[in-house]
Amino acid sequence: MRNADEALIVIDVQNDFCPGGALAVPQGDEIVPGINALMSTFPAVVLTQDWHPADHSSFASNHPDRHPFETIRMPYGPQVLWPDHCVQGSAGADFHPGLETARADLVIRKGFRPAIDSYSAFFENDHATPTGLHGYLQDRGLKRLVFVGLATDFCVSYSAIDAARLGHDVTVRLDLARAIDLEGSLAAAIAAMKAAGVCLEGLDDG
Ligand code: VGL
Ligand code: ZN
């Protein structure tokens, strides 16, 4: 068993990020059994859920002349445009059916404001608007955080880097995460996590 200040944070293990979903991450479903097994060893488990309104500004479909995977400028910085995904209340927004959600203490939803995306579990993409997760972890005295989930190069890395900046002790289990890998985004995310002091584990199945 782990120490009382350790939390497992499971990022966006939702149908739309798994094979067959609207923004499928290759092999995204492979990590589910390993995550379930890891959950039972942690004193605290948090799940995040990408949760967009249909008119969300990160959807290419809401920008007349744009296509999925193009990058546009938003008031808060660059934003990749995505296929419609994780629409509030849709089957694609549900957790993967194999994920043991009953074990979670907290489910935190993000990306619900139409005008701004939220990759990180801590802050929206303006890097300033909090989701409330930091306060929750502080109130429970949870400061050693292990991240797993989807996608390594977007929501997992943004969350891990924000957590490190907030002063948490942060590990990402790369064997229990999978990447979208858009134009070198995985290599960039790995470098950024290392630079932020994030501990990377499970690089080759370990
Ligand atoms: C994610 C792109 C758009 C993620 C969420 O969970 O990594 N990526 N929305
Ligand atoms: Zn999203």
Side-chain angles (χ1 to χ4, degrees):
M1 202 61 184
R2 295 179 174 255
N3 289 302
D5 63 352
E6 289 186 276
L8 180 65
I9 308 201
V10 181
I11 302 290
D12 299 1
V13 180
Q14 294 166 260
N15 289 324
D16 270 343
F17 296 124
C18 291
L23 180 43
V25 181
Q27 282 95 48
D29 55 339
E30 278 181 8
I31 62 178
V32 171
I35 292 173
N36 287 339
L38 199 57
M39 279 183 188
S40 59
T41 70
F42 274 81
V45 175
V46 174
L47 309 181
T48 70
Q49 194 171 24
D50 211 37
W51 195 249
H52 301 308
D55 63 347
H56 198 252
S57 57
S58 79
F59 295 171
S61 65
N62 290 318
H63 301 265
D65 300 317
R66 300 293 179 171
H67 300 98
F69 309 109
E70 280 180 32
T71 300
I72 62 164
R73 293 214 59 84
M74 294 289 277
Y76 52 82
Q79 171 69 50
V80 177
L81 295 177
W82 304 106
D84 293 20
H85 64 278
C86 298
V87 174
Q88 295 171 357
S90 70
D94 285 346
F95 292 110
H96 183 285
L99 188 71
E100 283 173 17
T101 58
R103 172 64 188 81
D105 303 330
L106 175 75
V107 175
I108 189 141
R109 289 174 168 167
K110 60 187 181 60
F112 49 76
R113 291 187 176 88
I116 186 166
D117 207 359
S118 187
Y119 294 151
S120 165
F122 293 93
F123 295 104
E124 305 207 2
N125 284 7
D126 60 0
H127 303 288
T129 308
T131 62
L133 179 57
H134 184 52
Y136 177 87
L137 297 172
Q138 279 193 311
D139 283 352
R140 286 193 58 186
L142 299 164
K143 40 185 181 281
R144 284 194 263 181
L145 311 180
V146 176
F147 289 85
V148 296
L150 306 170
T152 313
D153 43 347
F154 287 92
C155 292
V156 173
S157 66
Y158 272 64
S159 299
I161 289 166
D162 279 348
R165 286 191 185 134
L166 288 165
H168 297 287
D169 179 318
V170 181
T171 298
V172 171
R173 280 282 300 266
L174 291 172
D175 56 323
L176 295 177
R178 292 291 182 274
I180 297 174
D181 205 9
L182 202 62
E183 293 168 0
S185 58
L186 178 58
I190 299 276
M193 288 192 284
K194 283 183 179 163
V198 172
C199 176
L200 301 176
E201 282 183 4
L203 261 164
D204 25 49
D205 238 15

